[in-house]
Amino acid sequence: MDIAIDLKDIVLDALEQINIVFFITDTEGKILFVNKAFEELTGYRKEEVLGKNPNILKSGEQDEKFYKEMWDTISKGDIWSGKIINKKKDGSLYIEKLNIFPIKKDGKIKYYLAHREDISKLIEMEEKSFESQKLEAIGTMAGQLAHDFNNLLTVVIGSMEMIGDELKKDSVVYQLTQEILKSSKENAQIIKQLLIFSRKQSMEFKKVNLNEIIKEMDLLIKTQISSQIKLFIELSDDLKDVCADVNMIKQVIMNITANARDAINGTGEIKIKTYNFSSDNINLYPYLKGNFSVIEIADSGKGIPKEVLPHIFEPFYTTKPKGKGTGLGLSSAYGIIQQHKGKILAENSSKGGAIFKIFLPQIA
Ligand SMILES: Nc1ncnc2c1ncn2[C@@H]1O[C@H](COP(=O)(O)OP(=O)(O)O)[C@@H](O)[C@H]1O
Ligand SMILES: [Mg+2]
């Protein structure tokens, strides 16, 4: 019996039947083999993909640089591993960790074997442990501090107003009380943002459609941004209602559009979209479970640098010059959305600008 032939059959059967997604390409990227798990995940039948290039899975979520680095790595003979967002046949997106192994024969690369690792659990854990716990800890601390400071400022402002009332309006001392009042009120504003971040601000929830909120804000946003920036609004016709504090959500949108304005140097555009999102038909965000109404705000600015991205929701984190940024816009937005039991995410688009996505749970 020829053992080598048997082994070949066994390996082929194993690759075909194992519940791990595999595919093999030649050095040009032409697909030579996909297994059943691949068909099940992507929705493509074997005969539809054999001979094609894996870029049929391209979602547009990664830029050309990303693919170039991938190719540079594997064509050198190294293993490439990375998170990638791909597109199924039906157009829905999925996230995966892909490992691509160059397979050599006589020292030369002949094939590439790509194998998918399911990382939805991992992402869920990362999400729970890292960013949100850090913000949770800062929130507790900031909340206590802000609470005490707020009480103090209330006393200062109240007393100053009473003292001012007793003084002659043209006296130097009266001028001083006004200065103290002005700066105390500015500080109270900062403290208020911190209180919002720490979810210590009371909210008035009511049933509302996010489309209505955005329609009401059209003029407000146009006033806030310069006339060189075009505003596009695209509202879903069948957006489901959510339970929200209207003024707080307006605050979140204003904070994000203000940042978008700052990120756009000169001319550009801001696009606001709404849509329904269900965790059933997409596993792009494994930590989102259920049905959400989403507000998406995308800008054509410079995007958020990789090293900045993990910090943007921290209070007082700003990359703007002194006097321009307080670093409280996104942290208060974060607090507000948390208090709505929603989720706010920041990403960069493949075109370069930033995208903020706000997920609010729909009323069942
Ligand atoms: N649309 C955006 N494009 C690029 N960077 C952004 C964008 N939005 C926020 N950022 C980054 O996040 C930081 C924090 O934002 P924020 O909390 O609003 O504070 P501030 O605007 O006062 O700096 C900003 O300083 C900026 O570096
Ligand atoms: Mg800001």
Side-chain angles (χ1 to χ4, degrees):
M1 192 171 83
D2 190 338
I3 293 180
I5 290 197
D6 267 354
L7 199 59
K8 205 167 127 192
D9 273 355
I10 295 170
V11 171
L12 257 180
D13 283 346
L15 275 183
E16 172 63 18
Q17 290 168 35
I18 199 165
N19 62 349
I20 299 173
V21 174
F22 273 106
F23 64 93
I24 297 175
T25 74
D26 66 9
T27 48
E28 314 271 73
K30 204 156 64 167
I31 298 176
L32 304 174
F33 172 85
V34 301
N35 66 355
K36 198 137 118 250
F38 176 96
E39 292 183 309
E40 278 162 12
L41 173 75
T42 64
Y44 285 108
R45 315 277 324 148
K46 267 196 185 71
E47 38 304 351
E48 291 176 290
V49 295
L50 293 181
K52 299 254 171 68
N53 190 288
N55 65 21
I56 50 167
L57 303 173
K58 256 190 192 176
S59 60
E61 296 284 325
Q62 288 88 210
D63 55 12
E64 288 309 313
K65 211 173 101 217
F66 178 93
Y67 291 102
K68 189 178 176 301
E69 277 170 11
M70 177 195 278
W71 273 105
D72 286 351
T73 309
I74 57 176
S75 53
K76 266 198 325 223
D78 293 334
I79 298 171
W80 183 89
S81 287
K83 261 190 236 170
I84 182 167
I85 296 169
N86 276 335
K87 196 168 73 184
K88 299 186 188 187
K89 190 182 174 187
D90 67 8
S92 65
L93 302 182
Y94 62 96
I95 190 164
E96 63 182 357
K97 185 174 173 205
L98 210 57
N99 303 310
I100 308 178
F101 303 90
I103 300 176
K104 292 178 190 166
K105 223 178 179 117
D106 305 325
K108 269 183 73 183
I109 302 170
K110 292 279 283 193
Y111 311 104
Y112 296 113
L113 182 142
H115 135 240
R116 171 184 197 255
E117 245 176 85
D118 188 355
I119 48 161
S120 41
K121 277 273 169 314
L122 195 75
I123 293 175
E124 199 172 347
M125 267 161 53
E126 260 177 21
E127 171 63 21
K128 283 216 176 85
S129 60
F130 192 62
E131 273 307 301
S132 49
Q133 277 190 10
K134 180 175 71 186
L135 291 173
E136 204 62 37
I138 305 175
T140 311
M141 211 173 75
Q144 193 54 45
L145 214 76
H147 183 73
D148 293 347
F149 218 81
N150 197 39
N151 288 343
L152 189 79
L153 276 177
T154 310
V155 176
V156 171
I157 291 171
S159 309
M160 270 309 138
E161 272 167 355
M162 276 161 66
I163 294 170
D165 286 346
E166 298 290 311
L167 294 169
K168 285 207 186 78
K169 302 284 179 278
D170 54 359
S171 68
V172 176
V173 191
Y174 178 80
Q175 291 304 323
L176 281 176
T177 61
Q178 295 310 296
E179 285 301 315
I180 294 172
L181 263 176
K182 186 165 161 269
S183 101
S184 301
K185 282 178 180 164
E186 277 166 14
N187 276 298
Q189 253 337 89
I190 292 179
I191 294 297
K192 194 170 157 226
Q193 306 253 58
L194 262 187
L195 283 171
I196 292 175
F197 167 67
S198 332
R199 283 168 272 155
K200 285 209 154 51
Q201 198 73 345
S202 62
M203 303 220 171
E204 277 175 48
F205 290 103
K206 65 170 202 199
K207 184 176 150 182
V208 60
N209 196 291
L210 295 173
N211 284 349
E212 299 310 315
I213 299 185
I214 293 168
K215 275 184 214 153
E216 273 175 36
M217 292 183 70
D218 184 71
L219 197 66
L220 202 62
I221 298 171
K222 281 186 182 138
T223 321
Q224 182 195 41
I225 61 183
S226 87
S227 57
Q228 279 175 296
I229 301 174
K230 277 218 173 74
L231 176 68
F232 295 97
I233 297 182
E234 205 181 295
L235 305 175
S236 149
D237 299 332
D238 63 343
L239 192 74
K240 304 281 184 303
D241 290 342
V242 297
C243 198
D245 181 316
V246 174
N247 287 326
M248 288 291 170
I249 297 299
K250 283 186 178 170
Q251 184 68 56
V252 171
I253 297 171
M254 291 298 283
N255 292 358
I256 295 174
T257 48
N259 285 341
R261 173 203 60 206
D262 294 346
I264 297 170
N265 199 356
T267 55
E269 57 181 59
I270 297 176
K271 213 179 251 170
I272 304 182
K273 271 202 304 197
T274 59
Y275 51 89
N276 295 311
F277 172 93
S278 162
S279 59
D280 299 339
N281 53 27
I282 199 167
N283 72 349
L284 203 49
Y285 306 111
Y287 39 84
L288 287 174
K289 297 265 178 330
N291 300 318
F292 300 85
S293 290
V294 187
I295 305 174
E296 192 177 294
I297 303 173
D299 65 60
S300 63
K302 56 190 181 318
I304 310 169
K306 236 189 359 220
E307 63 282 6
V308 169
L309 199 54
H311 302 290
I312 56 170
F313 295 112
E314 291 167 14
F316 301 116
Y317 180 86
T318 178
T319 57
K320 293 170 193 171
K322 234 188 155 78
K324 192 110 209 303
T326 58
L328 287 167
L330 290 180
S331 53
S332 52
Y334 179 88
I336 292 169
I337 301 306
Q338 284 285 100
Q339 211 164 334
H340 281 76
K341 300 206 169 23
K343 186 97 201 149
I344 177 167
L345 300 174
E347 297 165 2
N348 285 310
S349 81
S350 52
K351 291 186 222 103
I355 307 180
F356 284 84
K357 294 178 184 171
I358 300 160
F359 296 82
L360 293 176
Q362 289 170 351
I363 297 172

